Amino acid sequence: SLFVFNLVFCATAATIVSGAMAERTKFISYCIYSFVISLVVYPIEAHWVWGPDGFLTALGFHDFAGSAVIHYAGGLTALIGASLLGPRIGKFNKDKTPNGIPGHNLTIGALGVFILWFGWYGFNGAAATNGRMLATIFSTTTVAPAIATVTVMIFTWLKYGKPDVALSLNGSLAGLVAITAGCDVVNVMGAFIIGILSGFNVCFFTWFLDYKLHIDDPVGAVPVHFANGALGTICVGLFGCNTASKVVGLFYGGGTRLLLVQILGLLAIGVWTAVTMTITFVAIKKTIGLRVTPEEEIIGLDKLEH
C-alpha cells in the first residue's frame, strides 16, 4: 500500500507540470521529465519531510499530505517548464497583453474538479491514525475549498460583472491544495481563513502570470499548486492549533519558531526542485527538444502526438 501511495504522489506531481505545459510539448519530453521528478526530486524531498530521519522532520516541519512536498514542488517545476517552453501560438500579442484561450467544455472541467475534490478526502485522509483525526481532516478538506470557491466567485463577479466559472473551479483546487499541509492540525475557523486566502491567492497569481511574467499556463497549475502549496505550508505556522502533536502556530500562542521552520522547508524544497528540474528541462531542450513544431501545435497534439 505504501508503494501505491507513493506512486500516486509521483503521478500527481508529474501531472501538475503537464497541465502548465499543455498543448505544445512533445510527449517524449513529458515522459522524461516525469521520470526525473518521480525518481529524483520527489523521493529526496519527501524523505526530508516524512522520513523518520529526515532533517526537516527533526526540525518539526509539518506537511501532512503534501502541500509542499507534492504541490509546491510540482507547481515550481511547472513554472520553470512553462517559462522555458514559451507560450502557445496566439496567447500573447506583440505588446505582451494576453489573449484568453478558453477550454472547450466547462461541464467536463467542472466534473473533473468534483472528482478531484471527492478523491482528495482519500488523499488527505489516508494517513489518519484515528477517528478524531479523520473527522478533522474531512471537515477542513470540505471547508477550505468551499470557501475558496465562493471567494473567487464573488471576487470575479465584482471585478468583471459576472462570476468566472473556470477560475472559480481553480479556486476549489486552490483551497484543497492550501489545506493539505495542515488539514490535521487546523480547526474549522483556520480552514475558513485559509480558504479565503487561497481564493485571493489563485486570482492574483493567475493575473500575475499573464500580465507581469507573461508565462502561458493553460490550466492554472502554477497559481493553484505552486502559489497555494506555499501558502498552505506557511499557514500551518500561523493556524496550527494541535497541542497533542505539538503543531501550534503563531496565532495560537506557538510563537514564530514553527512559522520559520515552515519557511525554511519551502526554501530547501524549492532550491532542490528548481536546480534539478532546470537542469532537466535545459538538457531536454538542447537534445531532443521540448516543443512540437508550429504546424503540429496548430493541427493538435491529440492527432499527431497522442
Side-chain angles (χ1 to χ4, degrees), residues 5 56 64 66 84 137 161 193 200 206 222 238 258 277-278 282:
F5 196 58
L56 289 176
F64 185 74
L84 290 172
I137 292 168
I193 297 170
F200 283 117
T206 299
V222 175
L238 299 174
L258 179 58
M277 293 313 297
T278 298
V282 170

Side-chain angles (χ1 to χ4, degrees), residues 21 24-30 32-33 85 280-292 305:
M21 299 172 65
R24 72 262 199 217
T25 305
K26 291 182 178 179
F27 185 68
I28 184 63
S29 301
Y30 278 132
I32 294 170
Y33 74 67
L85 184 63
T280 301
F281 283 127
V282 170
I284 295 172
K285 191 173 184 178
K286 295 292 185 182
T287 52
I288 64 171
L290 275 172
R291 188 164 183 150
V292 299
E305 280 279 309

Side-chain angles (χ1 to χ4, degrees), residues 105-121 123 141-142 144-146 148-150 152 164-177 202 219-221 224-225:
N105 194 322
L106 274 179
T107 305
I108 296 297
L111 176 63
V113 168
F114 291 130
I115 291 171
L116 266 174
W117 192 335
F118 180 73
W120 223 284
Y121 291 107
F123 189 85
T141 303
T142 300
T149 307
V150 174
V152 175
D164 187 320
V165 177
L167 196 54
S168 296
L169 291 170
N170 267 2
S172 305
L173 298 179
L176 287 164
V177 168
V202 76
V219 302
V224 168
H225 298 278

Side-chain angles (χ1 to χ4, degrees), residues 23 101-106 166 218:
E23 301 184 18
I101 306 178
H104 76 284
N105 194 322
L106 274 179

Side-chain angles (χ1 to χ4, degrees), residues 50 78 132 151 264 284:
W50 293 328
R132 183 182 179 87
T151 299
L264 174 64
I284 295 172

